[in-house]
Structure formats: C-alpha cells, structure tokens
Amino acid sequence: MKKGSSYKFGLFLFLLSTLSYAQDAHYWTEQFGTKSMLLSNSVIGSVSDLGAVFYNPGRLGVIDKPAFVISAKVNQWSTTTFENATGENANISKSKFGGVPSLVSGTFKIKWLPEHKFAYAFLDRRRSDINLSSSTILAGDVIDDLPGDEYFSGSIGIGKDFSEEWIGLCWSKAFSPHISVGVSGFFSARNQNAFATTQLQAYAEDETVIMYTKKNNYNYKNYGLVWKFGLALDYEKVSLGLTLTAPTIGLKGDGSFYYEQFYSGDAVLDPIYEIDSQGGIDLTYKTPWAIGFGVGLHLFGGTLHASAEYYSKINRYTLLQAETFIGQSTGIIRNPNVINELNPVLNYGIGYNVVIAKHINAYISFSTDYSAAIRDFEVDEEGEHLNYMASTFKSDINHFAGGFVMDFPWADVTLGAANASASYDIDRPVDFPDGEGSILNADDKTKVSWSRWRFIIGISIPLIKQMADKLDLTN
C-alpha cells in the first residue's frame, strides 16, 4: 500500500479503541455529594455531607445533622479534539452535552439502636459512552498493488460504553465525641461493551474489486459486593480520616464475544472468511485494595482539605476467555480473550472553603486522577491470539472545581463548576490485511485533547425536625 498525504482521512478512529475518555482505568473521575464535588474528592478526613457514605463511613457518626441529599442536577459538556487527524493541520472536534446523575442519599433510624447512625445511597460509580465513526470516498492511485487509479471508500466505527452503579447501606457509631467508625456495603452492577469495525472497498481500472470487513466485539456484566471501612477523628481545629476499601466480591457475571473478518477480490492474496460468536462466557472481574487518608484543618476562617488514596496493583489476568475457534478459510486457530492488568495508583487532592458572607461559603480545589492502565500492551490480532485489553485509557486526568454553598433555612444550595482534562498522542496506521504498508502513515501521530465541564446545582434538604431547628421553630 502507498503512503502519502493526499488520501489521509478519518480511519484513524480504528485506533481509538485505546480511548475511553473516562474511568475504565481511573478511580477519582467522579465525585459524590454536593460539597464533595466542589472539593474534588479531597474530603476523606473532612466530608460533612452524606457523601460520607462513599468517602468515609466513619464520618457519618460525627456529622451532627445529616440531611437527605440529592445532587442529581449536574449538566456536562465534554469536548474531544483530534489534532492532525486527517493530515497536517486537519483537526476534528466532537462535543456532547447532557445531564449526569450523581448521588441520592439519606439517613434512617433503628429504634433499638439509638446511638447508631444509618444511611442509604444510590450512586453512579463509573459511566462512559463513546460511539465514533468516520467514512470517506477517494479517487486516485491509492493502492500500489492495483494497476492505475482506483475508487476507494472506507468506514470505521468504534464504541466503548460501560456503567457501574452502586446501591449501598452505611452504619456508623461514635464511641466518643471525637472518635467514630463506620462501614458501607454496596451492591455493584457493572456492564461493559466495546466494539471496533472496519469496512474498506476499492475498485480498480481493470475492474478488480477488493472488499475488506472486520469487526470485533465483546461485552460483559458483573454483579458484586464492595465493602468500605472508615475511621474518623474529629476535634475543634482538625479532623482526620482513614479508609480501607476491599476488592469487589463477585456474585455473578458472564460475557459474550463476536468476531468476523472477510477479504475478497485480490488475486495477490487469498480470500479470508472468518466468523465466530460465543455467549455465556465465564467472567473473572478484579478490583484493587485501596487505602485512603484525609485531613481537614481549620485555618484563616475556613477549612483546608487534603486527601490521598492508594490503589494496589492488579497483576495481568484473563477477564473473559472464549473458546478457541478455527478460521473457516485460513485454518488459523484463534484464541480470543479479554485480559486486564492495572498498575498501582496514588491519587491526591487539596481544597479550601471559606465563609465570604453570612450563610455563603466559597470553595476551590484540585485533584489528580492517574490512569492505572499499563502503557506497553500490544494487541496481537494477526497470530493465533486475539487479545483485547479491558482497561485502555492511559492518560492522566487533572480535576479543578470551585463554587458556592448557600446555607438557607430550608436547605443548603450548591452552585459550582468542575473541569477535568487530559491530552495524549496515538498512532494511526490503517490498511488492508496484507501488512505491506498503511493508508495512513504509520509514523504520524494524532494528538487527542479531552475536556469535560460539569455545572453543578445541588441541594441538601434537611429532615423535617432539622428544618424546624434551622427555622428556630422548636427552640
């Protein structure tokens, strides 16, 4: 195949299966609870709303008046720019706007346990939805192996979407005015689907027609239990928190796999016909241990928040192992599987909130969101193995947030914004299956820049008695 610039086009999307724009290999991409969202996850030792169910269940025991929390009105604007996507100075930009549900949480009591506190929570732990496609029609001397000029057309599509929802209960007890412990237990449900499709056609002057189609798809679902343990120390000038999150305990899960590759029309190469579909594949899904530490320090009329959380390494393992199959025309034994491997990660965040007027607090924060995806994985699709990597987004993400919390008698209202951003380079070779070259220059790079803005309108509504206290109706 010829390498050149006149026929470069959007087939670089074939390689965007390395993209996930979100959290398939990240742990701090989402924030939970109104104030916690403005503090970018830096609240392990100082969370003061019902985000404690997620961040540190031990803090629930020292929160005086936990309120019903609904922080579901979060609008998101995300933009992805591909620089030099189809040639020098040829850029492509894609944007998406929509609502992002976050956390619904509240407290309840058990009469015979008056000194214990309980809460429930529904939260979207992780979520991503990507579906990209590109197509082109060209005329010229595109393919060296074909005589003269030819008509060339092609289309590419890639998609990756996953969701992970947690439903949980939290228990906490204060053993003194300064020390409290707690446990949160969550039922988790994760669904993930990924696919990549390629379709290329060429029509030469000698009326030769070449057609190539390739599609890979896998999906899985997993149900499990997640336990989080928390310790909270609360004093007049400082608060401290320590958490331990255990790996997910798998309850049930399975997956499916689909593969096809067809090639015909070229006298130089043998035709290819390969197809296989499998369902009910056994699933092994692993998550890391995590230990977190946080501090809240009252300074200069406000509070300085700082947190760090370490996630352990997960050694390479097979998440889905489909049965081997033989390519119908090639006779090649294919061994398809989805593997995963995650590096250890240490994330940290820092934030500050201060009273700027009666009943109004201002917030500002920053946190890291490092990728745990390995950076040296090679996909082997030409030999006997069909290896697919489950966690693929290798770029680190930075988070910034800021806003205001207004303490009204009837509720606490949060207004703010948060930004997450990342950038990285990817290769972009695409070709017919002869391996002799690339329609897009294999040495070229596409720079991907991703930015996500979230606009937060949150509300914490006190329970009826607590609202009466705020209105001084019971004092």
Side-chain angles (χ1 to χ4, degrees):
M1 303 298 170
K2 179 180 291 187
K3 300 179 182 179
S5 60
S6 62
Y7 39 79
K8 293 178 180 177
F9 60 99
L11 291 179
F12 74 96
L13 290 176
F14 177 74
L15 295 169
L16 292 190
S17 58
T18 61
L19 277 176
S20 186
Y21 301 177
Q23 322 98 343
D24 74 334
H26 294 74
Y27 305 111
W28 272 29
T29 309
E30 301 295 344
Q31 301 85 33
F32 304 100
T34 50
K35 297 176 184 177
S36 304
M37 295 180 77
L38 297 182
L39 290 169
S40 299
N41 288 329
S42 62
V43 294
I44 293 175
S46 54
V47 59
S48 59
D49 58 24
L50 281 182
V53 177
F54 173 78
Y55 288 105
N56 185 348
R59 289 284 302 169
L60 183 66
V62 295
I63 298 176
D64 291 333
K65 297 177 180 180
F68 175 79
V69 173
I70 180 168
S71 50
K73 191 60 177 178
V74 181
N75 291 314
Q76 174 177 293
W77 177 270
S78 60
T79 301
T80 306
T81 301
F82 307 94
E83 298 182 16
N84 301 324
T86 59
E88 292 301 319
N89 301 317
N91 302 331
I92 293 177
S93 182
K94 295 180 178 290
S95 299
K96 186 177 182 180
F97 181 81
V100 180
S102 179
L103 169 73
V104 175
S105 183
T107 59
F108 62 94
K109 294 182 179 180
I110 296 180
K111 290 183 179 180
W112 58 88
L113 297 172
E115 296 182 357
H116 301 250
K117 291 185 178 181
F118 300 89
Y120 61 87
F122 303 86
L123 58 94
D124 284 334
R125 180 66 183 96
R126 312 172 201 268
R127 184 176 294 274
S128 179
D129 184 5
I130 305 154
N131 195 328
L132 301 174
S133 63
S134 181
S135 61
T136 191
I137 299 175
L138 301 169
D141 189 11
V142 179
I143 304 173
D144 286 343
D145 292 338
L146 296 181
D149 295 341
E150 54 270 347
Y151 293 102
F152 179 87
S153 60
S155 62
I156 287 292
I158 67 104
K160 186 170 186 180
D161 62 85
F162 60 87
S163 64
E164 185 174 329
E165 297 183 353
W166 288 13
I167 302 172
L169 297 174
C170 176
W171 162 85
S172 184
K173 186 180 187 303
F175 290 92
S176 78
H178 306 295
I179 302 175
S180 178
V181 298
V183 179
S184 288
F186 296 96
F187 171 80
S188 70
R190 181 182 177 95
N191 290 274
Q192 180 162 319
N193 177 70
F195 71 87
T197 61
T198 304
Q199 186 168 331
L200 309 177
Q201 301 87 212
Y203 176 65
E205 288 183 353
D206 64 358
E207 299 185 350
T208 298
V209 177
I210 296 179
M211 301 189 70
Y212 178 60
T213 301
K214 188 171 186 179
K215 182 175 182 179
N216 302 298
N217 172 260
Y218 74 85
N219 65 73
Y220 68 84
K221 57 183 179 292
N222 179 73
Y223 304 99
L225 296 176
V226 182
W227 295 96
K228 190 161 193 171
F229 307 89
L231 169 68
L233 305 177
D234 195 60
Y235 298 93
E236 182 179 355
K237 293 294 184 181
V238 64
S239 60
L240 301 169
L242 182 68
T243 61
L244 178 67
T245 306
T248 299
I249 300 172
L251 299 177
K252 183 180 179 181
D254 60 19
S256 64
F257 164 80
Y258 179 84
Y259 172 86
E260 66 178 37
Q261 183 175 217
F262 307 126
Y263 179 78
S264 65
D266 189 351
V268 178
L269 297 177
D270 293 331
I272 296 175
Y273 184 99
E274 294 184 332
I275 188 169
D276 188 64
S277 179
Q278 300 181 34
I281 304 170
D282 291 340
L283 174 76
T284 300
Y285 181 70
K286 297 183 179 182
T287 62
W289 287 93
I291 184 168
F293 174 78
V295 58
L297 187 61
H298 302 296
L299 291 173
F300 310 116
T303 303
L304 177 68
H305 309 260
S307 294
E309 192 164 22
Y310 174 81
Y311 295 83
S312 66
K313 176 182 176 62
I314 295 180
N315 293 322
R316 184 169 296 193
Y317 72 98
T318 301
L319 190 147
L320 286 173
Q321 177 62 70
E323 294 183 1
T324 59
F325 67 95
I326 300 175
Q328 286 86 344
S329 68
T330 63
I332 297 176
I333 300 174
R334 302 291 190 183
N335 182 23
N337 62 79
V338 180
I339 64 176
N340 206 14
E341 179 180 359
L342 295 172
N343 288 322
V345 165
L346 176 64
N347 285 322
Y348 60 88
I350 186 168
Y352 186 71
N353 73 279
V354 62
V355 178
I356 59 173
K358 185 178 181 181
H359 302 304
I360 301 179
N361 269 258
Y363 288 73
I364 190 170
S365 63
F366 164 80
S367 69
T368 64
D369 192 10
Y370 293 121
S371 173
I374 63 171
R375 301 175 186 270
D376 58 353
F377 176 74
E378 295 293 336
V379 178
D380 176 12
E381 293 188 358
E382 300 303 328
E384 295 183 354
H385 295 276
L386 296 170
N387 296 326
Y388 307 99
M389 198 68 182
S391 299
T392 52
F393 187 11
K394 302 175 185 178
S395 180
D396 301 327
I397 302 174
N398 292 318
H399 294 267
F400 297 89
F404 303 91
V405 174
M406 291 161 279
D407 182 14
F408 295 115
W410 49 273
D412 293 340
V413 176
T414 303
L415 301 174
N419 176 257
S421 60
S423 63
Y424 48 96
D425 294 332
I426 62 172
D427 298 322
R428 54 176 191 182
V430 175
D431 197 11
F432 285 99
D434 60 3
E436 297 296 328
S438 176
I439 295 168
L440 296 182
N441 194 328
D443 295 328
D444 288 343
K445 300 286 185 179
T446 292
K447 182 177 181 180
V448 182
S449 299
W450 173 75
S451 178
R452 183 193 71 189
W453 281 96
R454 285 183 169 177
F455 305 98
I456 305 160
I457 302 176
I459 185 168
S460 298
I461 305 173
L463 301 177
I464 293 177
K465 180 180 182 305
Q466 297 162 1
M467 186 182 295
D469 291 342
K470 295 186 80 172
L471 293 169
D472 294 325
L473 298 180
T474 62
N475 296 330

